[in-house]
Amino acid sequence: MPKHSQHRRRGKHALDADDLEWLESAPETYDGPPEGDRWSTWDQSTPTEKGPRPYPDWLVTELAAVDTEHGILKTGKEADVHLISRGVPGTDRVCLLAAKRYRSAEHRLFHRDAGYLEGRRTRDDRMNRAMAGRTAFGKQAIAAQWAVAEFSALCRLWELGVPVPYPVQIVGTEILQEFVGTHDGYAAPRLAQVTEGLGELWEQLVAAMVTLAREGLAHGDLSPYNLLVHEGRLVVIDLPQIVDVIAHPVGPSFLDRDARNVATWFAAKGVAADPNALATLLRKEAGLLP
């Protein structure tokens, strides 16, 4: 790749002595941002690849904005989540975003995808075979499919009023979403770390799960580790495996498992939470029981 092509994706903080010498000889070809790590990717997404309108007031959408990396918030087998700030240089226009980046084909992908992918076959037989065989192309297709599935789920649930981070945009296998935490970059704790206000949080969670069930959906992997608590409000995260409980061959079992995982945890903390009662409620709301 020509050297000037590399510079299109690098900010001044990444420049070494050789870079600076090259810039002096050909400055007119350098179009990197004046600061930060990259130009904002906002204009790289189509309207359908951006979050629901109206866009929140806090979201920076100016084309002059730049993205700056601040480290990893969470690592996982399928994706890593990075903290970035998007701001307009020389102004106070800045917001914090969580960038979820699904792993590329050369890394181990999706340790739990077999059951979830049952309900997600495409019309392209070649792609289905590649995904089933976990070829390099198939793994990349899986990564893209999971990213699209999660972004679509976030958009749908946001519009339904389910407490999820606002989905900003998707670019390839990167999802940019609202950062849930403090203004200085400290992420909200997971439910598993919280010891106070559990009765109210349980009520919030049941309401969210009922809303999902009424839409014929289950989170698919719900646990105290993919629920955040921010200023007394429960926020549901990690949604790539969201399941259509009607279309999926064993969809109701995902409702039952979600109910069992969360209700058992709350019950162990002294909250009046019954796994069987919650599972029955969710099945009724989904239209699976009379």
Side-chain angles (χ1 to χ4, degrees), residues 58-80:
W58 55 262
L59 180 61
V60 175
T61 60
E62 291 87 334
L63 298 184
V66 297
D67 292 345
T68 303
E69 302 273 345
H70 297 289
I72 294 180
L73 293 169
K74 176 191 174 186
T75 60
K77 291 183 178 180
E78 296 119 358
D80 295 327

Side-chain angles (χ1 to χ4, degrees), residues 55-278:
Y55 302 134
D57 292 339
W58 55 262
L59 180 61
V60 175
T61 60
E62 291 87 334
L63 298 184
V66 297
D67 292 345
T68 303
E69 302 273 345
H70 297 289
I72 294 180
L73 293 169
K74 176 191 174 186
T75 60
K77 291 183 178 180
E78 296 119 358
D80 295 327
V81 182
H82 299 250
L83 175 65
I84 71 171
S85 59
R86 173 169 290 176
V88 180
T91 76
D92 60 358
R93 285 283 291 159
V94 63
C95 65
L96 290 177
L97 302 174
K100 186 169 187 178
R101 295 165 183 166
Y102 280 90
R103 294 185 180 279
S104 55
E106 62 267 21
H107 294 87
R108 181 172 179 268
L109 284 171
F110 312 110
H111 66 293
R112 56 190 174 163
D113 62 7
Y116 300 105
L117 290 175
E118 284 292 326
R120 293 190 190 164
R121 291 178 60 84
T122 73
R123 296 180 180 179
D124 188 328
D125 289 338
R126 173 175 170 266
M127 183 175 294
N128 289 329
R129 289 194 299 271
M131 290 166 61
R134 298 305 190 271
T135 65
F137 170 74
K139 287 181 178 180
Q140 195 63 29
I142 291 173
Q145 190 177 74
W146 281 77
V148 169
E150 178 159 24
F151 185 74
S152 298
L154 284 168
C155 291
R156 182 177 179 182
L157 298 189
W158 174 269
E159 293 183 309
L160 287 171
V162 176
V164 297
Y166 177 77
V168 173
Q169 65 181 120
I170 182 172
V171 183
T173 55
E174 177 185 76
I175 297 173
L176 289 167
Q177 55 192 297
E178 174 187 5
F179 170 69
V180 181
T182 65
H183 294 297
D184 51 356
Y186 287 93
R190 299 180 186 280
L191 174 62
Q193 301 170 283
V194 175
T195 58
E196 298 180 354
L198 295 182
E200 171 62 26
L201 293 173
W202 168 248
E203 293 179 4
Q204 291 181 36
L205 179 56
V206 171
M209 295 178 75
V210 164
T211 300
L212 282 170
R214 287 175 179 168
E215 291 293 312
L217 302 173
H219 182 285
D221 192 35
L222 198 59
S223 81
Y225 295 94
N226 47 33
L227 293 164
L228 302 180
V229 179
H230 183 54
E231 298 178 346
R233 178 173 175 263
L234 200 73
V235 181
V236 184
I237 60 171
D238 291 339
L239 290 155
Q241 70 290 308
I242 194 167
V243 175
D244 183 326
V245 299
I246 307 301
H248 195 285
V250 292
S253 67
F254 287 98
L255 279 177
D256 297 343
R257 187 171 70 180
D258 282 352
R260 181 175 64 252
N261 287 347
V262 295
T264 300
W265 185 87
F266 273 98
K269 302 296 182 181
V271 177
D274 183 335
N276 292 327
L278 178 58

Side-chain angles (χ1 to χ4, degrees), residues 3-10 29-33 37-39:
K3 192 174 184 64
H4 70 273
S5 296
Q6 298 175 15
H7 283 298
R8 292 177 63 85
R9 296 190 301 276
R10 297 171 60 187
T29 62
Y30 177 71
D31 63 353
D37 295 292
R38 68 183 186 187
W39 288 111

